[in-house]
Amino acid sequence: MTFKPAKWPRDLRSRQWFAGTSKDAIYHRGWMKNQGLPADMFDGRPVIGILNTWSELTPCNAHLRDLAEKVKYGIYEAGGFPVEVPVFSASESAFRPTAMMFRNLAAMAVEEAMRGQPMDGCVLLVGCDKTTPSLLMAAASTDLPSIVVTGGPMLNGYFRNERVGSGTHLWKFSEAVKAGEMTADEFVEAEASMSRSPGSCNTMGTASTMASMAEALGMALSGNAAIPAVDSRRRVMAHMTGRRIVQMVKDDLKPSDVMTKQAFENAIRTNGAIGGSTNAVIHLLAVAGRVGIDLTLDDWDRCGRDVPTIVNLMPSGKYLMEEFFYAGGLPVVLKRLGEAGLLHKDALTVSGETMWDQVKDVRNWNEDVILPTDKALTSSGGVAVLKGNLAPAGAVLKPSAATPSLMVHRGRAVVFEDIDDYKARIEDEALDIDETSVMVLKNCGPKGYPGMAEVGNMGLPPKVLRKGITDMVRISDARMSGTAYGTVVLHTSPEAAAGGPLAVVRDGDMIELDVPNRRLHLDISDEELAARLADWAPQIPAPDGGYAWLHHAHVQGADTGADLDFLNGCRGNPVGKESH
Ligand code: FES
């Protein structure tokens, strides 16, 4: 840790809007004063943007206006000037074709909102899946002092006295209906039991994973990730975050001071320990690209390989975020990583303390939720990065959510050209498929879907489900919800729509999956593969305008984070010209 706080007081960037007696200064201050602001709010105190992803169409974030009020208390107390700013909210549950297509648009919009307006520091008020990475990407690109506070997970769901996890049970119940084990009416009855309170998904899905990644990166106060949305301590966390950002601005503690290579390695290992979402791979690669950190898929495999999954939460395990919080939450996991020599202890955090200082004294209050290492769900919990002639740039698989007996498998490909083809044929009793087959889904990557939908955990055919089979090897260029599970190879790169080898797999080809050796192989000769690729032509027409065109023209592969190519790197926060 080499950070040296800046001297205070000093002039901040907001002074270029609000200081002096020029026409512009009076214009900027005068219009703000229509909100009833006293003159001394413009006396040089830090102006803090509370970037709020509140939206009633992002139900996981629908309570964030209330939390923003608590953030404001903290900012006022610490001598700052809070301004709440609504920003693009990429709702996981509502956006079509997929929220992922809009992560980069949100990041671009938020970046410009930060840079173009009088803010000295920002509180990133996030929760639902894409809202966290999009705002982290924006903060990385502007490098303005920033701190994350998440909305927190929903309370546990219960249906007929059993825990019901967000998303995880949606997939389970959906399969049960297809297998004839549950009626459609029971499925609808269960619907209301899944989402009992404000907050994000209560499993270790992508939202909880990204909240954990923000904390493990050092970008949120310690303990932030797991506090339930409706717990009074979530409001305290928001309040304390407001206090802290003011001091961060005074110290000039920036994202680039916190999000170092070491911080990313801490986050990758944490993801293995919590059994986190594969979506974290794409999001952290994209955030790292914005900071200018050289992070690759190989770092994911190298750092995650020997990390045991010790958090017993769905979809890999049995409990939900509420129990994780009661057990001690992420600080306990970080302490365990530190004790195992798997944590860069001196990584700096937004609190100004090192990661180790924050977690070294915490205790585990429930060893059935945060497991001892010898009872880990899997000893190799990190995301496995597979390579081979079917994925020259890499593909990923989450071992903790997969079936051990399928980790080495050779099977006959049953190919679906796109998601519509899959939906049209998967329930056909005449489909030539059994549990030994390998289901292959094409054209669901960043360009193909477009936006890389969470369809990689495609449901099994009913005739296989009726045999009591619950898992098969599935391969695609899609993503998978963090709440989902199965022996699912994802993010296959290059994607089919960009002419990757996945595009030329045919029904009946043999495919070899060998997770221990990190291999994904299409068993045809090099000459045959080259000939098929030479014959390939794009199947997906480029959109003819709008953001969809921009996305298609500029989105990069999943193996580097699927950011837009012109958004890589940190552009800083220079103050523009006067506006009038
Ligand atoms: Fe919003 Fe899961 S859908 S957090």
Side-chain angles (χ1 to χ4, degrees):
M1 187 176 75
T2 54
F3 178 72
K4 261 181 75 179
K7 286 210 170 74
W8 183 258
R10 67 179 188 286
D11 267 358
L12 299 171
R13 70 191 297 275
S14 61
R15 303 301 291 154
Q16 298 193 45
W17 280 264
F18 294 140
T21 54
S22 70
K23 172 175 64 70
D24 260 29
I26 286 169
Y27 175 62
H28 295 310
R29 285 196 306 264
W31 263 251
M32 287 293 284
K33 283 180 177 174
N34 80 348
Q35 299 175 86
L37 295 165
D40 60 7
M41 294 305 287
F42 302 93
D43 63 1
R45 66 189 69 195
V47 179
I48 308 296
I50 303 170
L51 305 182
N52 195 345
T53 53
W54 166 86
S55 162
E56 289 181 343
L57 277 175
T58 309
C60 315
N61 295 13
H63 60 304
L64 295 190
R65 294 218 64 203
D66 173 58
L67 276 189
E69 290 303 312
K70 304 300 173 196
V71 175
K72 284 181 195 171
Y73 289 171
I75 293 170
Y76 280 126
E77 278 174 8
F81 174 5
V83 283
E84 186 181 351
V85 179
V87 294
F88 193 115
S89 185
S91 168
E92 195 62 31
S93 58
F95 250 113
R96 291 185 177 188
T98 165
M100 179 62 185
M101 181 165 145
F102 302 101
R103 181 201 66 179
N104 299 334
L105 179 62
M108 184 162 59
V110 175
E111 176 186 341
E112 300 307 335
M114 293 172 85
R115 184 181 295 114
Q117 301 187 89
M119 299 179 199
D120 302 308
C122 293
V123 174
L124 314 181
L125 197 42
V126 292
C128 193
D129 297 19
K130 304 298 173 292
T131 58
T132 306
S134 58
L135 268 62
L136 275 172
M137 289 159 74
S141 285
T142 61
D143 211 24
L144 276 173
S146 297
I147 186 169
V148 169
V149 61
T150 47
M154 297 179 211
L155 294 178
N156 282 3
Y158 285 96
F159 179 61
R160 298 184 174 169
N161 206 34
E162 287 202 9
R163 277 184 200 82
V164 172
S166 317
T168 301
H169 276 81
L170 186 66
W171 324 128
K172 277 197 201 309
F173 290 158
S174 163
E175 302 275 89
V177 170
K178 277 200 242 168
E181 295 160 2
M182 187 180 201
T183 67
D185 284 348
E186 287 172 319
F187 194 13
V188 172
E189 190 187 336
E191 171 190 318
S193 71
M194 290 183 195
S195 308
R196 291 177 48 227
S197 80
S200 49
C201 290
N202 54 23
T203 42
M204 188 51 83
T206 303
S208 298
T209 299
M210 290 311 298
S212 300
M213 294 298 91
E215 188 172 331
L217 281 169
M219 287 295 292
L221 293 182
S222 189
N224 170 74
I227 307 170
V230 295
D231 194 295
S232 53
R233 286 161 285 187
R234 172 61 57 192
R235 292 168 156 214
V236 175
M237 177 59 70
H239 191 139
M240 301 309 285
T241 300
R243 283 189 194 168
R244 179 61 199 156
I245 184 65
V246 176
Q247 190 60 44
M248 285 174 64
V249 170
K250 291 178 177 175
D251 292 346
D252 200 23
L253 176 55
K254 304 180 295 299
S256 58
D257 297 314
V258 175
M259 291 196 281
T260 60
K261 180 81 182 242
Q262 290 192 335
F264 283 99
E265 291 184 349
N266 282 347
I268 291 171
R269 292 191 172 110
T270 301
N271 191 60
I274 63 176
S277 166
T278 44
N279 283 322
V281 178
I282 286 194
H283 298 324
L284 289 199
L285 289 172
V287 176
R290 297 293 187 101
V291 193
I293 299 285
D294 179 24
L295 192 75
T296 66
L297 273 180
D298 292 337
D299 290 313
W300 274 89
D301 201 67
R302 174 180 58 82
C303 295
R305 215 174 241 265
D306 301 321
V307 179
T309 299
I310 55 170
V311 175
N312 189 8
L313 257 59
M314 297 180 205
S316 304
K318 144 174 162 194
Y319 293 106
L320 293 168
M321 287 298 285
E322 211 180 316
E323 281 107 352
F324 186 40
F325 173 58
Y326 301 145
L330 199 72
V332 177
V333 177
L334 292 162
K335 180 180 179 183
R336 290 277 293 281
L337 288 172
E339 289 168 342
L342 295 170
L343 188 79
H344 296 293
K345 293 180 176 178
D346 59 354
L348 179 66
T349 74
V350 285
S351 72
E353 293 184 317
T354 65
M355 186 60 79
W356 188 244
D357 281 342
Q358 290 188 156
V359 303
K360 64 183 187 311
D361 297 323
V362 299
R363 281 183 59 186
N364 183 0
W365 300 102
N366 189 334
E367 292 213 334
D368 197 37
V369 176
I370 305 174
L371 302 163
T373 304
D374 60 357
K375 292 193 179 147
L377 296 178
T378 170
S379 58
S380 179
V383 169
V385 177
L386 311 167
K387 293 212 174 146
N389 66 351
L390 190 45
V396 303
L397 177 141
K398 180 175 169 181
S400 65
T403 301
S405 61
L406 289 174
M407 301 288 254
V408 178
H409 182 80
R410 179 180 160 87
R412 182 176 56 88
V414 176
V415 176
F416 302 99
E417 291 299 324
D418 57 31
I419 193 66
D420 294 329
D421 182 32
Y422 162 78
K423 285 180 179 166
R425 294 195 293 129
I426 191 62
E427 297 192 6
D428 183 349
E429 294 292 320
L431 182 65
D432 184 13
I433 191 168
D434 65 22
E435 58 273 27
T436 66
S437 306
V438 173
M439 297 168 68
V440 175
L441 176 62
K442 303 177 182 176
N443 293 313
C444 291
K447 281 184 196 288
Y449 192 74
M452 206 179 177
E454 292 184 330
V455 293
N457 58 315
M458 55 194 131
L460 273 48
K463 67 179 181 184
V464 171
L465 287 169
R466 284 197 301 274
K467 292 189 207 170
I469 307 289
T470 56
D471 197 8
M472 290 170 61
V473 173
R474 289 159 270 180
I475 299 173
S476 72
D477 45 12
R479 295 176 303 121
M480 170 172 91
S481 164
T483 62
Y485 49 86
T487 310
V488 184
V489 177
L490 302 154
H491 311 182
T492 304
S493 300
E495 64 174 303
L502 187 70
V504 298
V505 180
R506 294 178 184 167
D507 275 333
D509 286 345
M510 296 304 289
I511 293 179
E512 292 170 13
L513 170 68
D514 182 349
V515 179
N517 289 305
R518 302 297 195 251
R519 185 162 178 266
L520 184 64
H521 182 69
L522 179 64
D523 194 6
I524 61 175
S525 68
D526 293 348
E527 294 74 24
E528 170 70 10
L529 179 56
R532 289 189 195 181
L533 287 170
D535 276 350
W536 176 83
Q539 307 290 309
I540 311 279
D544 54 9
Y547 175 69
W549 172 86
L550 184 75
H551 173 86
H552 186 272
H554 291 281
V555 72
Q556 299 169 106
D559 55 306
T560 57
D563 200 359
L564 301 182
D565 51 13
F566 59 90
L567 293 176
N568 290 336
C570 175
R571 283 164 288 286
N573 54 72
V575 174
K577 294 177 182 165
E578 289 191 338
S579 51
H580 292 86

